[in-house]
Amino acid sequence: MRIQLVLLVMAALVPAFVLAVLGALEQQEAVRRDAAAQAERLATLVAAGEQQTIEGVRQALVTIAALDVAQPPSGAGPGAGTSSACDAFLARILPRYGIYSNLGVATAEGDVFCSAVRSAGPVTIADRSYFKRALATKGLGIGDFQVGRLTGVRSINFGFPVLDDSGTSVGVAFAALGIEQLDRPAANVAFPEGGTLLVVDGGGTILWRRPETESFIGRRFADAEIVQTALEAEQTVAPATGLDGVPRTYAFAPLGDVGSGRIIVAVGLDAAALGRSVEATLARDLALLGLVAVAAMFAAWYGGGILMRPLEALRSATRRMAGGDFSTRSGVRSGARELIELAADFDRMAGSLENAAEQRVAREAADRANRAKSEFLSRMSHELRTPLNSVIGFSELLLMDDLTPEQQDNLRYIQRGAHHLLELINEVLDISRIEAGTLALSTEPVAVGEVVDEVVELVRPMASARAITLEIEPPNDPAAVDGNRGTLLVMADRQRLRQVLLNLLSNAIKYNRQEGSVRVRATTDADGDVRVAVADTGPGLTAAQQARLFSPFDRLGAEQGEVEGTGLGLALTKSLVERMGGTIGATSEAGAGSTFWFTLPSADRGQTALDETRLSAAEPAALRARVLYIEDNPANLELIERILTRHAGITLMTAMQGDSGLELARQHLPDMILLDLHLPDLPGAAAAQTALGETRLPAAEPAAFRARVLYIEDNPANLELI
């Protein structure tokens, strides 16, 4: 009997070993799938950064190609027709970009007409691939790895055609991008153990590699398996052997096409390295199962009897559950009725615990993903806004100086591009925050008419430039009697309501016809909600276009025209309206204009006490303040310093680290603290909490921490900057 019991115990444990092995195999397969998905995400992330860099190059070349000083003379040959004015201009702007080793223009025959880096004699680029591709495609031409003839620097060059009034290519503007700039998008990306990044040009030459960069840059590996796979890939995932002989799962993201030149980003992850933890877990589980098997056989050998068989099974299952294996079941199907019922209760309990554990793991994974997304958004917002703020701020400062009309036009080109990028960043971040549920709203009763009047005044210059009439129709408000317009109140976040109206009115003006009109009307519907409608006399929308409204990055074909946009405005507008508890829609007919409308919950009418918030004429001292700026970016420090020095009565103190900044706050008790949220020695949130806690004045001096600042300025960009 004891031998039979031992054999039965062994037979019962065999499935456990099989399940452990099968579970490990499934985990290994899951690791491989996760490696492929992670590689694809990393490749897409890095490629997006590289594409942004290439787009920046394209915009710079488009600007250069459009300048009169960069137009090559007809028939210019080697050493003839060069332009010292063009050389001087390019040499002056080259340091402002910071990422290029050279900028220049060549004739249609390939002879360098002007260059930021001057040469001792004639130079031709007729044999360079980017030059040929730019002329062939009449668009951006991406070159291959090269060492510059003028600079001697390793780079990848880009070309863009210079066209005359008839559209004929008379030259090529070119830019040499330092090869190390290809590493910027990956500099802050954490690659798992055994991971590698490879950037390859269309000829199979290595442009950049992580790790072991220097030994590979500029070498051609066209016959290597990974390079061949990369050159044939169309943003897919495939296994390949790397340049170091290690097999990996690679994800590929090509930039450009065969005609204009290609750059391929490849991210490879070593699934074997990532799966070592699975193998260690399997060894541990098998060891534990082996121990359980020995213990069970020992108990069966010495316990004996039919009664012990279900008890031992239950005890073994209980031990496995105590070790964290909630998938275990007793397996008892025979024996005393009480033991069978006990075993059934145990199995139900194990099932409940297993479901609870799976739900907990899922919640923890979701929480980690949300935290990672929030951190990523915060970091990307900081890293992208910092250089853009410098670009916009210093451009505004330069426009205040005595500049030539050409210099002012150049600065406005820079400002327009920077504002476009900032708008895109803001809208992407807002949409991401809404999706993640982290966008904070301050809901309060808001007078719709006041916000409409404010926004209409903001867009009136845009409308006047196109001779478009702006009309605000009287609301159907019962309180609007005896010449009084009444007050329609909604429950909304005032800033976000202003953003919604600004998006709709800007679109109504931008996509309107010349000398058209835009009408705005606020009404109450049958349910008591407030309905705001913006009607235009533009070309209208087809049924197919209306079906795609409010989709992110879908501009309904407007990207082919001259009107700039990001394709995110309506999507963001819809998300904001819905977050404030409202609805949004549109009615349109091709050739007859469009009407965009939204509704918001109404609020009780009230009188807005504007007089209570106005500054008193007896308080001129409020114009004097001490400002502490804690920032680790020297360009931002210099920008704010230059701005505030233009305003008498403001004393500026600066610090580049959180600890030193807090010490200044304790000593001087400033009226205002401007705080960077990403400091090198202290997180911005922690610094803010400390500043609000430890640096607070004693109860007898609360006024030192409160200040009112009046900024009188007619430039909207300066107002937004301050």
Side-chain angles (χ1 to χ4, degrees):
M1 177 64 72
R2 286 185 294 179
I3 294 176
Q4 291 177 348
L5 288 176
V6 170
L7 292 175
L8 287 173
V9 171
M10 293 177 62
L13 290 173
V14 168
F17 281 95
V18 174
L19 290 175
V21 174
L22 292 177
L25 293 176
E26 290 178 359
Q27 290 181 15
Q28 288 180 335
E29 181 61 26
V31 167
R32 284 192 288 270
R33 290 195 302 267
D34 290 344
Q38 187 177 7
E40 195 169 20
R41 287 195 298 271
L42 292 174
T44 301
L45 179 62
V46 175
E50 303 289 8
Q51 188 64 52
Q52 189 177 27
T53 299
I54 293 175
E55 178 59 20
V57 175
R58 190 189 71 80
Q59 292 182 8
L61 290 179
V62 168
T63 301
I64 293 174
L67 299 175
D68 292 337
V69 73
Q71 296 292 321
S74 177
T82 58
S83 172
S84 58
C86 181
D87 288 345
F89 172 77
L90 294 181
R92 187 169 62 254
I93 68 171
L94 181 62
R96 300 183 183 179
Y97 285 101
I99 64 174
Y100 305 118
S101 59
N102 194 16
L103 295 170
V105 180
T107 66
E109 291 75 27
D111 301 312
V112 175
F113 164 65
C114 69
S115 170
V117 178
R118 301 181 180 179
S119 63
V123 176
T124 179
I125 60 171
D127 60 332
R128 295 299 197 186
S129 56
Y130 65 88
F131 174 83
K132 299 175 182 177
R133 290 165 180 161
L135 289 179
T137 63
K138 285 195 174 182
L140 183 68
I142 303 175
D144 301 321
F145 175 86
Q146 69 176 55
V147 176
R149 290 171 178 157
L150 291 172
T151 64
V153 175
R154 297 178 304 180
S155 63
I156 181 168
N157 284 26
F158 300 80
F160 192 87
V162 178
L163 306 178
D164 61 12
D165 294 339
S166 65
T168 302
S169 298
V170 297
V172 171
F174 62 88
L177 182 69
I179 205 69
E180 69 279 358
Q181 299 300 324
L182 297 176
D183 188 51
R184 289 198 305 167
N188 296 323
V189 176
F191 288 85
E193 178 186 358
T196 182
L197 166 69
L198 203 64
V199 183
V200 186
D201 67 17
T205 300
I206 305 303
L207 300 177
W208 198 263
R209 184 182 187 273
R210 275 178 173 253
E212 300 177 14
T213 299
E214 284 301 322
S215 59
F216 290 91
I217 289 181
R219 296 177 60 187
R220 191 169 184 268
F221 291 89
D223 296 330
E225 180 185 1
I226 174 58
V227 175
Q228 291 180 346
T229 306
L231 294 177
E232 297 170 359
E234 293 294 335
Q235 194 162 353
T236 184
V237 178
T241 300
L243 298 178
D244 54 1
V246 176
R248 294 183 177 89
T249 299
Y250 280 88
F252 306 97
L255 310 174
D257 55 41
V258 176
S260 62
R262 301 178 70 198
I263 297 176
I264 300 97
V265 174
V267 173
L269 298 184
D270 187 354
L274 297 176
R276 291 192 186 105
S277 61
V278 177
E279 297 173 357
T281 302
L282 175 61
R284 183 195 63 196
D285 291 344
L286 291 177
L288 291 175
L289 284 173
L291 292 175
V292 172
V294 171
M297 288 186 290
F298 182 81
W301 180 263
Y302 290 97
I306 296 177
L307 184 60
M308 294 297 298
R309 186 166 55 197
L311 293 176
E312 289 297 331
L314 281 171
R315 186 170 67 172
S316 177
T318 302
R319 287 176 177 173
R320 290 196 295 272
M321 181 179 290
D325 184 7
F326 298 118
S327 64
T328 185
R329 300 293 184 269
S330 67
V332 174
R333 298 293 182 268
S334 62
R337 181 168 59 98
E338 292 81 0
L339 291 177
I340 294 176
E341 292 177 354
L342 178 61
D345 291 339
F346 174 86
D347 289 344
R348 284 192 291 271
M349 178 188 66
S352 299
L353 290 175
E354 183 179 16
N355 291 335
E358 290 176 351
Q359 292 175 1
R360 177 176 55 80
V361 171
R363 285 196 301 271
E364 290 176 353
D367 291 341
R368 286 194 300 270
N370 283 333
R371 286 194 299 270
K373 183 176 182 179
S374 297
E375 176 62 23
F376 173 77
L377 289 174
S378 175
R379 176 65 60 180
M380 289 302 294
S381 173
H382 176 267
E383 296 300 330
L384 293 174
R385 290 172 187 269
T386 296
L388 283 177
N389 286 340
S390 296
V391 172
I392 295 172
F394 281 108
S395 298
E396 289 294 339
L397 288 176
L398 287 173
L399 283 173
M400 298 178 186
D401 296 335
D402 186 13
L403 302 177
T404 65
E406 181 181 357
Q407 290 172 331
Q408 292 179 346
D409 289 341
N410 293 341
L411 284 173
R412 291 190 180 98
Y413 275 118
I414 295 173
Q415 282 188 318
R416 188 164 56 206
H419 279 293
H420 179 76
L421 288 176
L422 189 59
E423 178 185 359
L424 179 61
I425 293 167
N426 290 337
E427 291 178 346
V428 169
L429 289 174
D430 279 346
I431 288 178
S432 300
R433 291 192 185 102
I434 292 172
E435 292 176 348
T438 59
L439 182 68
L441 294 179
S442 177
T443 305
E444 60 182 349
V446 178
V448 174
E450 293 180 3
V451 180
V452 169
D453 291 342
E454 176 185 349
V455 175
V456 166
E457 289 306 312
L458 284 176
V459 300
R460 192 173 296 281
M462 182 191 309
S464 299
R466 301 187 59 198
I468 292 176
T469 303
L470 293 176
E471 302 176 11
I472 304 178
E473 297 185 6
N476 67 336
D477 185 358
V481 296
D482 297 333
N484 180 11
R485 291 178 56 188
T487 304
L488 287 179
L489 296 177
V490 295
M491 291 303 297
D493 183 305
R494 183 183 181 91
Q495 178 183 355
R496 297 303 181 180
L497 175 58
R498 180 177 178 272
Q499 186 175 357
V500 167
L501 281 168
L502 189 59
N503 282 344
L504 295 181
L505 280 168
S506 297
N507 283 350
I509 294 171
K510 288 193 299 185
Y511 299 105
N512 210 324
R513 60 179 173 82
Q514 193 76 15
E515 299 182 356
S517 65
V518 175
R519 298 189 312 278
V520 186
R521 186 184 186 192
T523 61
T524 54
D525 59 19
D527 297 329
D529 291 338
V530 176
R531 187 179 190 270
V532 180
V534 178
D536 63 62
T537 57
L541 301 171
T542 65
Q545 289 175 319
Q546 293 181 57
R548 291 155 45 200
L549 274 175
F550 308 110
S551 297
F553 298 106
D554 189 346
R555 298 190 60 204
L556 308 179
E559 63 272 13
Q560 307 298 328
E562 298 180 354
V563 179
E564 296 183 353
T566 64
L568 290 174
L570 285 179
L572 177 58
T573 299
K574 181 176 185 292
S575 299
L576 290 174
V577 170
E578 292 176 349
R579 276 296 306 277
M580 292 187 290
T583 59
I584 189 171
T587 58
S588 181
E589 181 179 348
S594 303
T595 299
F596 284 80
W597 57 266
F598 65 89
T599 65
L600 289 174
S602 63
D604 294 334
R605 293 179 177 87
Q607 179 64 36
T608 303
L610 293 178
D611 294 337
E612 296 180 3
T613 65
R614 298 188 185 275
L615 282 175
S616 170
E619 298 181 296
L623 290 175
R624 303 188 63 83
R626 289 172 293 180
V627 177
L628 171 61
Y629 186 22
I630 307 175
E631 168 66 72
D632 63 334
N633 188 308
N636 287 353
L637 285 171
E638 184 176 356
L639 174 61
I640 296 299
E641 183 176 358
R642 291 189 183 182
I643 292 174
L644 295 185
T645 54
R646 296 172 181 262
H647 303 276
I650 297 181
T651 302
L652 176 64
M653 299 172 287
T654 62
M656 298 186 70
Q657 291 189 332
D659 288 337
S660 59
L662 291 177
E663 184 60 31
L664 285 174
R666 295 186 187 100
Q667 294 176 3
H668 298 280
L669 301 175
D671 299 300
M672 176 185 292
I673 299 178
L674 304 177
L675 178 64
D676 182 5
L677 290 181
H678 294 276
L679 296 170
D681 63 330
L682 189 63
Q689 184 175 5
T690 303
L692 292 175
E694 296 182 7
T695 64
R696 192 180 297 276
L697 280 175
E701 300 180 278
F705 273 97
R706 306 184 64 86
R708 287 170 292 181
V709 178
L710 171 63
Y711 184 27
I712 304 175
E713 170 63 70
D714 64 342
N715 188 318
N718 285 352
L719 288 170
E720 182 178 358
L721 176 64
I722 296 300

